[in-house]
Amino acid sequence: MRIRFLRRKIFIALGCLVFLLPQVSKAQFDNKSRSEYILDILKYVYWTNEKEFSEFKIGICSPDTLLVNELNTQIAKKQVIRDKLISVFIVNGQSSALTARVLFVRSGDPFEIEALVDEAKGKHILVISEGFDFHLSMINFIFFQGHKRFEMNEDALSQGGLIIKDQLFKAQAVKTRADWQEIYRQTEKKLDAVEKTVAEQKTEIRKQNELLEEQKTKIAAQKQEMAEQEQRIAIQSQELDQLTAAALQKENEIEERIKLLIIQKAAMEKQQFQIAAQEKKILGQKDVLASLESNITEQRQQIAIQKKDLKTQLSEIQKQQLIIWLFVLIFIIFVIFAIYLRRNYVQKMKTAAVLREMNSDILVKNREITRQNEEIEKQRAQVVLQRDQITLQKKHITDSIRYAEQIQMAVFPEMAVLKRLFPASFVLFRPKDIVSGDFYWVAEYEGYKFIAAADCTGHGVPGGFMSMMGITFLNEIINHQHITSPAQILDKLRKNIVRALKQYSTESEVRDGMDITLLRYEEQTETLQFAGANNSLYLLRNGECMVYKADSMTIAISDEMNPFNGHEIKLEMGDTAYIFSDGYADQLGGSSRKKMLRKRLRAYLEEASLLNISGQRGFLGAKLTEWQGHHPQTDDVLLIGVKFNHTPTL
């Protein structure tokens, strides 16, 4: 049942379309198509005196403000044709008509086409018409079999001082009266067929009217559903506004965090100085501990020896005491022998006193050792606490640097933007630390495509701050100050850096800056403009590497502050441009731990140029890894390659 209903709806639509075909064929061109045709024709018609004027003035020979408005809308999109401005006005009379470069007239306008064409001869005025007979105008719009066509009078164009070079454009035009008459015969034949079809469809249309009535109820229900959807959309719009406000708040928070990072950087530097002092103090305490432990070891050895001697002496005393007690029992019998024993006893008592004194000294030394052990344990606990504090501070510093990396990568252009502007390109980017002092930048403005590779002073957090400053200034120069010349952009960037870092003279304490290579690509003319500050451009053409030298100046305060020089290069099919920082060529490696140098880099680029652009990044990255070996990375590495595959336009 549903399929049958759909078939009926299709029949109704076809019937309406067939019924309206005669009216469409009579309507011919609308204002939008007229405007597009007029502006497109300007690209193919050349004036022999074109160097003598700087503006295409289009005169409309009727008070049709809608057509004028549509033309102005189309002109706003194109802006210029062959570097000439475009304007449109309504012709008030013959005198104002002669001020135009292009005149457009339709049948029914208050102007005679023959008079306009005669008046335009030798005055370099292009007459475009619509709805006139064959060869009455220079270019005349017609409508045939649903297609917009035009017929062209080459003799009238030549007499008016106009030339058409494009053969394809000529081939699309109707040139002979026979073609013109055939178009009208075909049009009449088509109209007869359409009228017959309309008659056949009228009966079917009447049958479908009842079905249309049945659909009105469903349409009303659908309208109700659409109203509910509009209400839901309104609610979603409110939610979207809330999300937009939240996004703006988030952006403000990011700005506050950037300020906080600057404060944290100063705190980090202060903490690093304190950590260095604490580490120096800990090393001194470790030396003291080592000395104390050595003394304790020696004293323990002496105590062990003394304890051994004491045990020996105590054992001897016990034996002597036993003898004394025996002598006492037999004192009466052995008096003389007792006296002798008494002498020995006195001597032994003296020895015992000495032993007691020695034992007292040992006890004092034991108490001193115990005290020293307690002091050592306190110092060890303090060292462990300081170590834990240093570890925690290091973690906080690392977390802050990681967050700085996220902010820096958010400022960098997305790879999707790079691929949209330069489809055949790659970026080899290896920061030495978490945050990089190298950065790349792309932009598009007024038909120009820009790409840059920069190397800021230092690396890590200081270099990261400089890179974010450079990207911000470049965006401001292009989008707000509307400067498009690479050399002038570098001049303005240097002024902004000097002002921002307060580099008032060459003796300034802050000498930070950046080296940069900046390219501007114009696709329409296939030209490349280049300007560089200490970083040159390498251009690979047919396997040969050509070097375009940069100016020996940096983007900072320096002894020489001359304007930067620009270079213009006419590109050829398959040219590949390479821009980079000095990190790749300065990498230490090889068997003798030497720098790679730019001579070896040029050899790598010439070898890589034999590969497609997607394989070059992997090849150059592998060569860098192979050269570096087990040596640490020397500096941030940035290398960008862009291949130009387009054929130059004529």
Side-chain angles (χ1 to χ4, degrees):
M1 186 68 183
R2 182 177 179 81
I3 294 174
R4 187 182 302 170
F5 176 71
L6 289 175
R7 286 178 179 175
R8 290 177 179 176
K9 290 184 69 177
I10 291 170
F11 283 138
I12 293 171
L14 286 174
C16 293
L17 181 62
V18 171
F19 178 76
L20 293 173
L21 271 176
Q23 284 73 15
V24 173
S25 64
K26 293 176 183 177
Q28 299 185 359
F29 285 77
D30 55 16
N31 283 335
K32 183 177 181 182
S33 59
R34 290 188 186 98
S35 301
E36 292 173 349
Y37 264 53
I38 292 170
L39 294 177
D40 285 342
I41 286 171
L42 288 181
K43 296 189 297 184
Y44 297 104
V45 178
Y46 290 82
W47 280 250
T48 56
N49 66 335
E50 197 162 308
K51 294 182 179 180
E52 299 177 2
F53 61 89
S54 60
E55 182 180 14
F56 287 117
K57 298 178 68 176
I58 303 173
I60 306 301
C61 297
S62 65
D64 190 349
T65 57
L66 296 178
L67 176 57
V68 172
N69 292 337
E70 183 61 34
L71 270 168
N72 284 324
T73 301
Q74 298 292 332
I75 289 170
K77 297 178 181 178
K78 297 181 180 294
Q79 294 184 349
V80 295
I81 294 178
R82 295 199 294 276
D83 297 328
K84 297 183 186 298
L85 300 175
I86 311 169
S87 63
V88 61
F89 68 97
I90 295 176
V91 176
N92 296 323
Q94 185 174 359
S95 59
S96 63
L98 296 178
T99 63
R101 294 295 169 188
V102 181
L103 289 174
F104 178 73
V105 59
R106 290 177 290 187
S107 60
D109 289 343
F111 286 89
E112 292 292 337
I113 187 65
E114 295 89 346
L116 284 176
V117 174
D118 290 339
E119 194 68 32
K121 290 180 180 179
K123 293 185 176 59
H124 303 91
I125 299 175
L126 173 62
V127 180
I128 303 174
S129 64
E130 179 186 346
F132 287 97
D133 201 0
F134 180 73
H135 269 30
L136 289 181
S137 177
M138 295 181 181
I139 296 177
N140 186 36
F141 295 164
I142 61 174
F143 199 86
F144 175 63
Q145 293 186 348
H147 298 285
K148 301 177 181 68
R149 299 286 300 277
F150 63 91
E151 62 102 356
M152 181 172 61
N153 188 341
E154 293 190 49
D155 293 337
L157 287 168
S158 177
Q159 293 173 3
L162 305 169
I163 302 172
I164 296 179
K165 300 178 181 180
D166 194 294
Q167 298 301 321
L168 181 60
F169 178 76
K170 290 182 179 181
Q172 294 175 353
V174 177
K175 301 182 183 62
T176 65
R177 182 171 295 277
D179 294 338
W180 178 269
Q181 292 174 351
E182 179 62 23
I183 289 174
Y184 276 95
R185 283 197 297 270
Q186 292 293 334
T187 302
E188 291 296 330
K189 184 177 179 181
K190 183 68 176 181
L191 288 174
D192 292 339
V194 167
E195 290 176 357
K196 183 178 179 182
T197 305
V198 169
E200 293 174 354
Q201 294 297 324
K202 284 183 179 179
T203 304
E204 183 65 24
I205 290 171
R206 283 194 295 270
K207 293 180 180 179
Q208 299 301 327
N209 284 335
E210 296 178 359
L211 293 176
L212 288 174
E213 292 296 330
E214 295 176 1
Q215 294 300 317
K216 287 183 179 179
T217 304
K218 295 182 179 180
I219 291 172
Q222 291 176 353
K223 286 183 178 179
Q224 179 65 27
E225 184 179 354
M226 288 174 62
E228 295 175 356
Q229 289 179 352
E230 289 177 354
Q231 186 176 3
R232 289 195 295 269
I233 289 172
I235 296 172
Q236 291 175 354
S237 298
Q238 294 177 356
E239 295 176 353
L240 181 60
D241 293 338
Q242 294 174 357
L243 291 174
T244 303
L248 292 174
Q249 183 179 0
K250 190 67 176 178
E251 183 177 355
N252 293 332
E253 292 177 358
I254 290 174
E255 292 179 356
E256 292 296 329
R257 291 182 178 178
I258 291 174
K259 294 179 181 178
L260 181 60
L261 282 175
I262 295 173
I263 297 172
Q264 288 179 349
K265 177 189 173 184
M268 285 161 50
E269 293 176 350
K270 182 178 179 181
Q271 290 176 353
Q272 288 176 350
F273 178 79
Q274 294 175 351
I275 289 169
Q278 290 176 353
E279 288 178 347
K280 185 176 180 181
K281 182 177 179 182
I282 290 169
L283 289 175
Q285 292 176 349
K286 285 184 177 179
D287 294 338
V288 174
L289 288 175
S291 177
L292 290 173
E293 288 179 353
S294 176
N295 292 335
I296 291 169
T297 302
E298 292 177 359
Q299 291 176 359
R300 285 178 176 174
Q301 291 176 352
Q302 292 177 0
I303 290 169
I305 294 171
Q306 291 175 356
K307 283 183 177 180
K308 185 177 180 180
D309 294 341
L310 184 61
K311 287 181 180 180
T312 302
Q313 292 175 1
L314 287 174
S315 176
E316 185 69 19
I317 289 171
Q318 288 176 355
K319 291 179 182 180
Q320 294 296 331
Q321 285 178 348
L322 179 61
I323 294 172
I324 291 171
W325 281 109
L326 290 173
F327 277 18
V328 171
L329 292 175
I330 60 174
F331 175 76
I332 299 173
I333 302 171
F334 302 102
V335 174
I336 299 172
F337 189 67
I339 295 171
Y340 176 75
L341 289 176
R342 186 176 179 280
R343 290 178 181 176
N344 289 334
Y345 175 75
V346 171
Q347 185 65 32
K348 297 298 182 183
M349 289 300 292
K350 291 180 180 179
T351 303
V354 172
L355 290 175
R356 283 193 297 272
E357 185 178 356
M358 292 176 61
N359 189 30
S360 177
D361 292 338
I362 291 171
L363 291 174
V364 171
K365 290 182 179 180
N366 282 335
R367 284 194 294 271
E368 181 65 20
I369 291 171
T370 302
R371 187 186 64 78
Q372 291 178 351
N373 284 335
E374 291 175 354
E375 183 66 22
I376 290 171
E377 289 299 325
K378 290 180 180 179
Q379 292 178 352
R380 183 175 297 170
Q382 186 177 3
V383 170
V384 171
L385 178 61
Q386 291 175 347
R387 182 198 64 191
D388 294 339
Q389 290 176 347
I390 292 171
T391 303
L392 181 60
Q393 290 174 350
K394 182 179 180 182
K395 181 179 182 301
H396 291 331
I397 293 170
T398 304
D399 292 342
S400 297
I401 295 174
R402 290 287 183 190
Y403 188 72
E405 179 193 22
Q406 295 178 6
I407 296 175
Q408 185 185 42
M409 295 310 297
V411 175
F412 276 25
E414 297 179 357
M415 292 306 298
V417 177
L418 175 65
K419 288 296 183 181
R420 177 176 63 81
L421 298 180
F422 301 96
S425 62
F426 72 86
V427 176
L428 178 60
F429 183 54
R430 292 184 183 179
K432 179 180 183 296
D433 299 319
I434 299 173
V435 181
S436 173
D438 290 358
F439 71 90
Y440 58 92
W441 172 80
V442 295
E444 183 178 18
Y445 184 76
E446 292 188 351
Y448 299 123
K449 298 178 181 179
F450 298 87
I451 186 168
D455 183 3
C456 298
T457 303
H459 46 74
V461 174
F465 278 101
M466 286 297 300
S467 68
M468 294 172 66
M469 187 182 298
I471 292 174
T472 302
F473 283 148
L474 285 172
N475 287 329
E476 179 183 355
I477 292 168
I478 295 294
N479 296 320
H480 299 289
Q481 300 179 9
H482 313 298
I483 300 175
T484 59
S485 169
Q488 295 178 7
I489 291 172
L490 295 190
D491 290 337
K492 190 65 177 178
L493 177 61
R494 180 171 60 187
K495 290 181 181 178
N496 290 344
I497 291 294
V498 169
R499 184 177 65 255
L501 299 181
K502 299 179 180 178
Q503 298 174 343
Y504 301 117
S505 67
T506 55
E507 289 78 23
S508 176
E509 295 181 359
V510 181
R511 297 296 297 272
D512 296 331
M514 65 185 69
D515 298 334
I516 187 171
T517 306
L518 177 61
L519 303 180
R520 187 192 79 181
Y521 172 54
E522 186 175 3
E523 189 174 5
Q524 185 176 3
T525 60
E526 285 299 311
T527 56
L528 188 69
Q529 285 202 4
F530 152 71
N534 284 335
N535 281 357
S536 300
L537 164 66
Y538 284 11
L539 185 70
L540 266 293
R541 177 175 291 171
N542 299 324
E544 180 183 358
C545 183
M546 297 182 293
V547 180
Y548 291 87
K549 294 288 186 180
D551 293 314
S552 297
M553 297 184 292
T554 186
I555 304 296
I557 192 74
S558 62
D559 295 331
E560 293 185 8
M561 297 285 286
N562 299 324
F564 287 95
N565 295 311
H567 307 270
E568 185 168 302
I569 305 166
K570 188 65 177 179
L571 295 174
E572 295 182 6
M573 183 68 174
D575 285 355
T576 304
Y578 297 95
I579 56 179
F580 44 84
S581 65
D582 58 3
Y584 198 108
D586 289 348
Q587 176 60 47
L588 298 176
S591 58
S592 57
R593 197 175 184 272
K594 294 182 179 179
K595 289 185 178 181
M596 179 186 293
L597 301 180
R598 299 204 174 189
K599 181 178 179 181
R600 185 175 280 105
L601 172 59
R602 288 179 62 178
Y604 287 164
L605 293 178
E606 290 175 356
E607 189 176 354
S609 66
L610 301 177
L611 305 173
N612 57 36
I613 199 69
S614 60
Q616 291 187 24
R617 180 181 183 277
F619 173 84
L620 293 171
K623 285 294 184 182
L624 177 61
T625 302
E626 179 183 358
W627 175 261
Q628 179 178 347
H630 63 279
H631 302 294
Q633 185 170 334
T634 306
D635 197 358
D636 297 324
V637 174
L638 173 62
L639 192 152
I640 302 174
V642 179
K643 188 170 186 179
F644 304 94
N645 294 318
H646 302 291
T647 303
T649 57
L650 297 177

